[in-house]
Amino acid sequence: MLPFNLFTDKILKPDHTKLELHPRNKHRGRYDFGQLIQASPILAQYVKLNEYGDASVDFSDPLAVKALNQALLKQFYAVSVWDIPQQYLCPPVPGRADYLHYIADLLGGCNDGVIPQGESIRVLDIGVGANMIYPLIGSHEYGWHFVGADIDAKSLKNAQHIVGANRLSELIELRLQTSQQSIFKGIVRQDEMFALTMCNPPFHASLNAAHAGTQRKWRGLGKHMVKRGANHQPAILNFGGQSTELYCEGGEEAFVTAMVNESRQYAAQCLWFTTLVSKAASLPGVYRALKKVNASEVNTIAMAQGQKQSRIVAWTFLNASQRRAWFL
């Protein structure tokens, strides 16, 4: 039993709206922990009153964050079964939902302001991960068909379990990328068409940089520093993430630049290519790459959640008339 009543006016009364989130985002208000616990009772053991007397969870506790995600996915997106292996990335649901809503607006801009919905809209998620968060939210919110690609077989095995457990095989399919050097090649099939591609690229350039990022997050939460493991390698704890999720040679800018360069080969097979870009410093290099491949149009969409600033970079090789004709 919880040491306080989750159903009091104080707990359930919404505080300021998260105006920085997309208007269609279901998480613009404060979390209603009473309803979340009704959806997923396991969350109750992690909910406590914080120093301000509000219900919350310890965001440095990976089990608490996972339980919160399970409740959010169950209450808002009808995902009854969701889990991830230990030390895999546990993403924040509100921010991931924002990405989907903004790229839905991109499609609406090509369709007389009407966001197209249903299985005919095919979306490729590069680096779908063990959590498979984008296909779960996107298939529920818009009915889109997702292809999730990943280079990590264990991630795909877990994602496939989620697909099966939630009976989503008609809306979500998964593919293994077998080449470390390829992003679209080996995944996008001949004559296969996608309205969108999306990606949350590796952020860091090395394991040490990923470790330093984890340390900053811990300091932001007022926690002690993470100790190094027994093999003297930095331990990536609590915030989760495997090597392919967290870092790659050259970091975010190098990964996105490679994606841009390879996208040119699939120019006629995709309406909008998109990716998250977390570092503003990555943008000049990404823009140079887009100029070199002669993208027809490039859009940068600013996003924010709390103190975290990010953006979506979207590009297309189709001209305005070709984009309008995509949905005809």
Side-chain angles (χ1 to χ4, degrees), residues 117-237:
Q117 303 193 28
E119 297 178 43
S120 63
I121 306 304
R122 305 183 77 250
V123 182
L124 173 60
D125 181 6
I126 297 295
V128 65
N131 60 73
M132 207 178 62
I133 203 77
Y134 291 127
L136 291 173
I137 297 175
S139 62
H140 181 271
E141 295 294 87
Y142 299 108
W144 296 340
H145 180 100
F146 280 79
V147 173
D150 208 287
I151 202 164
D152 182 69
K154 186 175 179 181
S155 288
L156 289 181
K157 182 179 179 181
N158 190 78
Q160 189 60 57
H161 173 73
I162 296 172
V163 170
N166 293 282
R167 299 181 180 180
L168 290 171
S169 59
E170 292 186 1
L171 288 175
I172 302 172
E173 61 179 292
L174 302 170
R175 299 177 188 174
L176 178 66
Q177 174 58 269
T178 58
S179 171
Q180 293 276 357
Q181 285 72 47
S182 298
I183 296 174
F184 300 113
K185 184 179 180 181
I187 296 298
V188 179
R189 297 167 181 167
Q190 188 176 7
D191 299 326
E192 189 172 35
M193 309 294 283
F194 289 98
L196 292 162
T197 73
M198 60 189 308
C199 180
N200 186 8
F203 183 78
H204 300 288
S206 67
L207 178 58
N208 282 332
H211 173 66
T214 298
Q215 303 286 30
R216 286 192 295 273
K217 290 180 180 180
W218 271 68
R219 285 194 295 269
L221 290 170
K223 302 295 179 182
H224 296 296
M225 298 290 281
V226 181
K227 296 180 180 179
R228 290 179 176 251
N231 59 355
H232 303 293
Q233 293 297 314
I236 305 299
L237 298 177

Side-chain angles (χ1 to χ4, degrees), residues 31 33 36 40 42-48 56-72 82 90-91 238:
Y31 290 139
F33 282 101
L36 288 171
S40 183
I42 194 173
L43 177 62
Q45 64 185 289
Y46 300 105
V47 177
K48 306 254 188 314
S56 187
V57 299
D58 181 355
F59 286 94
S60 70
D61 180 351
L63 296 179
V65 174
K66 184 167 73 171
L68 176 59
N69 273 11
Q70 289 169 333
L72 290 169
W82 184 85
C90 190
N238 289 314

Side-chain angles (χ1 to χ4, degrees), residues 175-314:
R175 299 177 188 174
L176 178 66
Q177 174 58 269
T178 58
S179 171
Q180 293 276 357
Q181 285 72 47
S182 298
I183 296 174
F184 300 113
K185 184 179 180 181
I187 296 298
V188 179
R189 297 167 181 167
Q190 188 176 7
D191 299 326
E192 189 172 35
M193 309 294 283
F194 289 98
L196 292 162
T197 73
M198 60 189 308
C199 180
N200 186 8
F203 183 78
H204 300 288
S206 67
L207 178 58
N208 282 332
H211 173 66
T214 298
Q215 303 286 30
R216 286 192 295 273
K217 290 180 180 180
W218 271 68
R219 285 194 295 269
L221 290 170
K223 302 295 179 182
H224 296 296
M225 298 290 281
V226 181
K227 296 180 180 179
R228 290 179 176 251
N231 59 355
H232 303 293
Q233 293 297 314
I236 305 299
L237 298 177
N238 289 314
F239 294 98
Q242 296 298 293
S243 59
T244 54
E245 295 177 309
L246 295 173
Y247 64 91
C248 68
E249 185 176 352
E252 176 185 71
E253 182 178 339
F255 187 94
V256 174
T257 297
M259 179 186 297
V260 168
N261 291 336
E262 196 174 324
S263 70
R264 189 70 185 89
Q265 303 172 41
Y266 303 90
Q269 291 180 254
C270 180
L271 175 54
W272 283 104
F273 297 90
T274 78
T275 182
L276 286 178
V277 177
S278 294
K279 295 180 179 179
S282 299
L283 289 173
V286 172
Y287 292 151
R288 285 193 296 270
L290 286 163
K291 185 175 182 179
K292 286 181 181 179
V293 298
N294 294 315
S296 175
E297 184 171 329
V298 176
N299 288 339
T300 301
I301 305 165
M303 297 195 306
Q305 183 182 1
Q307 296 181 348
K308 180 176 173 57
Q309 304 293 314
S310 186
R311 73 278 308 151
I312 301 165
V313 175

Side-chain angles (χ1 to χ4, degrees), residues 24-44:
R24 290 193 304 278
N25 196 312
K26 293 178 177 177
H27 313 291
R28 285 165 61 83
R30 201 173 83 181
Y31 290 139
D32 184 335
F33 282 101
Q35 290 190 9
L36 288 171
I37 288 171
Q38 284 185 324
S40 183
I42 194 173
L43 177 62

